[in-house]
């Protein structure tokens, strides 16, 4: 059973997360945490990524849905079978200088949308569950995910930085999520 999503107002969402120590890589404990995160994100209707603190874990980890990394949409055939990817102890190492206004929502702030400044391209350096370092770049949706999830790990919600936040009706949220998934996420 997936863990419940921690909602805005919870202390764990406002605290800076802890790095995964070297000795935890490759352990059952870490593998179990990643499975819990993936299961919780997959159990949501619109989740494309999740930070560890969104299920109450105080660690520097986020997981991105596999279909997003593969440039697919959730509704595409086989999209759900694509493995999710963990980004452990992630650091954004490169951002486009120019920022743009984008719409954003969050599993921890249900029923709301906001407008926030984000770089349209980003590159992250992180570790996989075995402790192997890797880098991944992304644009549009993927760049936004990297920035949004990294903010979570710093104890920052998008609502803390948004230019505007408003309550959104179910139909408005559906339209937002459908449009967001259609945007590209080519490698940067």
């Amino acid at each position: 059973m997936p863990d419940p999503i921690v909602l805005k107002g919870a202390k764990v969402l406002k605290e800076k997360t802890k790095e995964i120590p070297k000795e935890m890589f490759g352990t059952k404990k870490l593998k179990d945490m990643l499975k819990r995160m993936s299961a919780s994100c997959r159990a949501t209707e619109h989740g494309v990524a999740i930070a560890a603190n969104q299920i109450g874990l105080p660690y520097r980890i986020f997981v991105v849905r596999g279909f997003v990394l593969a440039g697919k949409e959730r509704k595409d055939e086989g999209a759900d079978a694509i493995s999710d990817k963990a980004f452990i102890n992630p650091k954004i190492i490169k951002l486009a200088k120019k920022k743009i206004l984008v719409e954003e929502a969050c599993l921890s702030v249900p029923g709301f949308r906001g407008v926030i400044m984000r770089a349209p391209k980003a590159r992250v350096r992180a570790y996989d569950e075995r402790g192997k370092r890797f880098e991944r770049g992304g644009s549009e949706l993927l760049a936004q995910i990297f920035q949004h999830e990294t903010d979570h790990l710093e104890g920052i919600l998008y609502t803390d930085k948004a230019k505007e936040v408003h309550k959104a009706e179910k139909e408005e949220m559906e339209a937002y999520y459908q449009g967001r998934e259609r945007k590209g996420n080519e490698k940067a």
Side-chain angles (χ1 to χ4, degrees):
M1 181 157 179
D3 291 73
I5 303 297
V6 175
L7 300 179
K8 181 179 179 177
K11 186 178 174 189
V12 70
L13 291 177
K14 298 304 282 176
E15 295 173 336
K16 193 171 178 175
T17 56
K18 302 181 288 193
E19 288 208 347
I20 293 291
K22 287 180 185 176
E23 57 274 5
M24 194 183 288
F25 287 101
T27 64
K28 182 178 179 338
K29 180 178 180 179
L30 179 58
K31 191 173 185 176
D32 288 346
M33 283 194 287
L34 300 178
K35 281 183 183 174
R36 288 172 55 196
M37 290 174 65
S38 184
S40 295
C41 188
R42 284 172 173 262
T44 68
E45 189 175 356
H46 299 294
V48 292
I50 193 166
N53 54 351
Q54 287 183 277
I55 63 166
L57 300 171
Y59 295 106
R60 291 194 70 77
I61 307 169
F62 66 80
V63 170
V64 178
R65 290 291 310 271
F67 74 85
V68 174
L69 295 168
K72 307 272 186 207
E73 291 185 41
R74 183 186 313 272
K75 65 180 170 39
D76 290 345
E77 188 174 330
D80 212 42
I82 302 170
S83 296
D84 301 340
K85 182 155 186 69
F87 291 74
I88 301 169
N89 297 341
K91 288 184 176 51
I92 292 179
I93 57 171
K94 189 174 183 182
L95 285 174
K97 285 184 173 70
K98 181 182 163 194
K99 305 282 189 285
I100 59 172
L101 279 174
V102 294
E103 286 189 289
E104 201 155 294
C106 180
L107 297 173
S108 293
V109 191
F112 288 85
R113 284 184 14 195
V115 178
I116 187 169
M117 295 294 288
R118 296 284 191 201
K121 291 186 178 184
R123 179 166 285 284
V124 173
R125 179 178 296 139
Y127 295 87
D128 67 15
E129 60 274 8
R130 293 175 304 284
K132 183 178 179 195
R133 192 171 87 172
F134 68 92
E135 290 184 13
R136 175 71 195 250
S139 62
E140 298 184 7
L141 175 59
L142 192 52
Q144 191 174 348
I145 288 170
F146 290 161
Q147 293 165 83
H148 179 102
E149 301 307 330
T150 301
D151 279 350
H152 268 302
L153 302 179
E154 293 297 321
I156 300 166
L157 292 174
Y158 85 94
T159 54
D160 298 333
K161 298 166 88 173
K163 303 281 183 200
E164 150 193 338
V165 177
H166 68 276
K167 188 157 181 55
E169 298 301 321
K170 183 168 176 54
E171 295 81 22
E172 187 182 353
M173 292 302 290
E174 288 294 327
Y176 163 73
Y177 284 115
Q178 287 174 1
R180 184 177 73 164
E181 284 186 13
R182 279 191 215 105
K183 289 184 179 181
N185 59 16
E186 70 264 7
K187 294 179 183 177

